[in-house]
Amino acid sequence: MTKIALIGFGVVGQGFARVLSQKQQELKEKYGLDAQLVAISGRSKGSLMVEEGIDLGSLLTSFDKYGTVESYPTGTKGLDSIQTIKESGADVVIEVTGTNLETGGAGLPHIREALGLGKHVITCNKGPAALAYSELKELADANGAKFRIESTVMAGTPAVNLGKEALAGNKILGFKGIINGTTNFILTKMGEGGDYDATLKEAQELGYAEADPAGDVEGWDAVGKVVILANTLMGANLKPTDVEREGITGITPVMVEEAKKEGMKIKLIARAYLEDGAVKAKVSPESMLLTDPLANVNNTMNALTFTTDGLHEVTVIGRGAGGVETAHGIISDLIAIYR
Ligand code: HSE
């Protein structure tokens, strides 16, 4: 049995519980992976620890009714997140608390604690991955644990592991892409005559936007992701503040209309490239001709084109935000660890 502790029970934590509940049997039959959730710790949704594994059907039914995991009929309740990591007996800690790109937020101490105890860690949390990937990877290696971060970029659509694993043997010379779903959704709707504020509200309701959507519209979320990709795939050592950044708050309906008249679309593009041997990164709105494949990636879809020495350009397009979509990236990391 692979015992899992889930730290964070917001959009992604709940998405993970739902996906695991649907896939639990399939994971066992197809991969031999008997994945059992033994603990959950949420900031506002309570905490629960059940040694023999939580029955996910029963958990989700009672959670949907009462809004707290403590409504589950058995188990230990009321532990904090660090106690949960220490006492759950989990082999794998899944860290899905909120992102803070300035300090790493609560996720950083959670991940340090878990890796220090030799537990594998999977996270979609961009703060720790963007600010402290090398430190955390070294800590994992020193303790015989794995630290995997696929779902930090483009949710479950392969990005980090595509570059690290599937493209192994190629040198990644740079990349460019649309890696923030919320801003792509807003720009797409603006192109259809939609209103900025109403569209942002819709993105929040759909669970795509960050808790503080300034993180999306001012470009910080894309900056975090560009840093993660550049540092893990291009050997860079960038911090979010090293990235040249411009969000979409200055983009007006008139600008979108003007671009349209010229056969173009405005997209928030994140890129990393080599300049005089150093890795540089940038996030900014760009007008793209409709013949550019990225111009046709709309709504919350993401896309990423790697430029490599061997295969030249490799592009992946897919869903890049949302609880269930992110949970799929976590599941793929879980299977990779098990293998
Ligand atoms: N707020 C992010 C987005 C969520 O809109 O892409 C996924 O990281």
Side-chain angles (χ1 to χ4, degrees):
M1 194 209 284
T2 299
K3 295 183 177 180
I4 300 166
L6 182 60
I7 309 300
F9 207 62
V11 172
V12 177
Q14 291 167 40
F16 176 77
R18 289 182 207 283
V19 172
L20 184 59
S21 144
Q22 288 157 8
K23 293 264 167 185
Q24 214 160 17
Q25 194 57 32
E26 188 184 324
L27 293 180
K28 207 186 267 179
E29 285 166 10
K30 194 165 169 192
Y31 305 98
L33 167 59
D34 180 12
Q36 295 293 335
L37 195 56
V38 293
I40 299 173
S41 175
R43 187 171 48 88
S44 61
K45 307 287 189 249
S47 84
L48 172 67
M49 198 166 80
V50 181
E51 210 180 316
E52 66 277 13
I54 298 166
D55 178 278
L56 293 172
S58 152
L59 170 83
L60 292 167
T61 305
S62 68
F63 178 77
D64 287 343
K65 197 163 169 194
Y66 300 107
T68 167
V69 298
E70 299 193 3
S71 55
Y72 191 79
T74 61
T76 307
K77 322 274 165 75
L79 297 182
D80 67 26
S81 50
I82 294 288
Q83 286 171 317
T84 303
I85 292 167
K86 282 183 169 158
E87 294 173 26
S88 61
D91 312 298
V92 181
V93 171
I94 296 180
E95 212 291 337
V96 295
T97 63
T99 294
N100 183 321
L101 282 173
E102 283 171 280
T103 65
L108 197 48
H110 290 157
I111 296 172
R112 285 192 182 121
E113 182 71 37
L115 292 174
L117 291 167
K119 296 175 188 299
H120 306 299
V121 172
I122 300 170
T123 193
C124 69
N125 193 333
K126 290 155 275 190
L131 296 171
Y133 180 79
S134 330
E135 175 213 314
L136 297 170
K137 178 74 174 70
E138 275 170 31
L139 184 60
D141 291 346
N143 287 283
K146 303 284 180 203
F147 176 51
R148 295 189 66 100
I149 60 166
E150 174 56 45
S151 51
T152 55
V153 182
M154 291 175 75
T157 300
V160 177
N161 295 342
L162 176 63
K164 261 177 117 68
E165 293 166 9
L167 289 176
N170 283 270
K171 184 173 182 197
I172 293 178
L173 305 168
F175 57 85
K176 73 168 183 175
I178 296 170
I179 52 177
N180 178 268
T182 300
T183 48
N184 203 30
F185 188 54
I186 294 172
L187 291 173
T188 303
K189 295 291 176 204
M190 281 173 84
E192 295 163 0
D195 174 73
Y196 181 102
D197 291 329
T199 311
L200 175 55
K201 194 158 172 278
E202 197 181 339
Q204 285 174 299
E205 281 162 8
L206 291 169
Y208 298 132
E210 296 299 296
D212 175 1
D216 294 295
V217 296
E218 290 175 4
W220 283 112
D221 178 75
V223 163
K225 292 166 177 167
V226 108
V227 166
I228 293 168
L229 291 173
N231 290 355
T232 55
L233 304 180
M234 295 178 72
N237 189 20
L238 297 176
K239 295 185 293 300
T241 44
D242 296 329
V243 179
E244 200 182 320
R245 175 188 57 86
E246 186 189 336
I248 64 158
T249 47
I251 305 294
T252 62
V254 173
M255 289 161 86
V256 172
E257 201 47 44
E258 286 300 317
K260 209 174 179 177
K261 279 188 202 147
E262 288 165 29
M264 298 176 111
K265 272 191 196 169
I266 300 175
K267 295 287 181 187
L268 186 69
I269 300 298
R271 53 174 83 236
Y273 49 95
L274 290 167
E275 194 177 271
D276 301 328
V279 180
K280 296 277 169 61
K282 183 178 174 185
V283 170
S284 64
E286 292 184 23
S287 291
M288 327 202 79
L289 281 168
L290 294 181
T291 47
D292 189 311
L294 293 184
N296 299 300
V297 174
N298 292 318
N299 293 308
T300 56
M301 295 296 271
N302 282 198
L304 187 62
T305 298
F306 290 112
T307 302
T308 71
D309 61 345
L311 285 165
H312 304 285
E313 303 215 313
V314 176
T315 299
V316 61
I317 300 175
R319 289 166 190 254
V324 164
E325 293 82 349
T326 306
H328 277 285
I330 294 170
I331 296 274
S332 83
D333 275 342
L334 187 63
I335 294 169
I337 289 173
Y338 178 72
R339 279 174 167 163

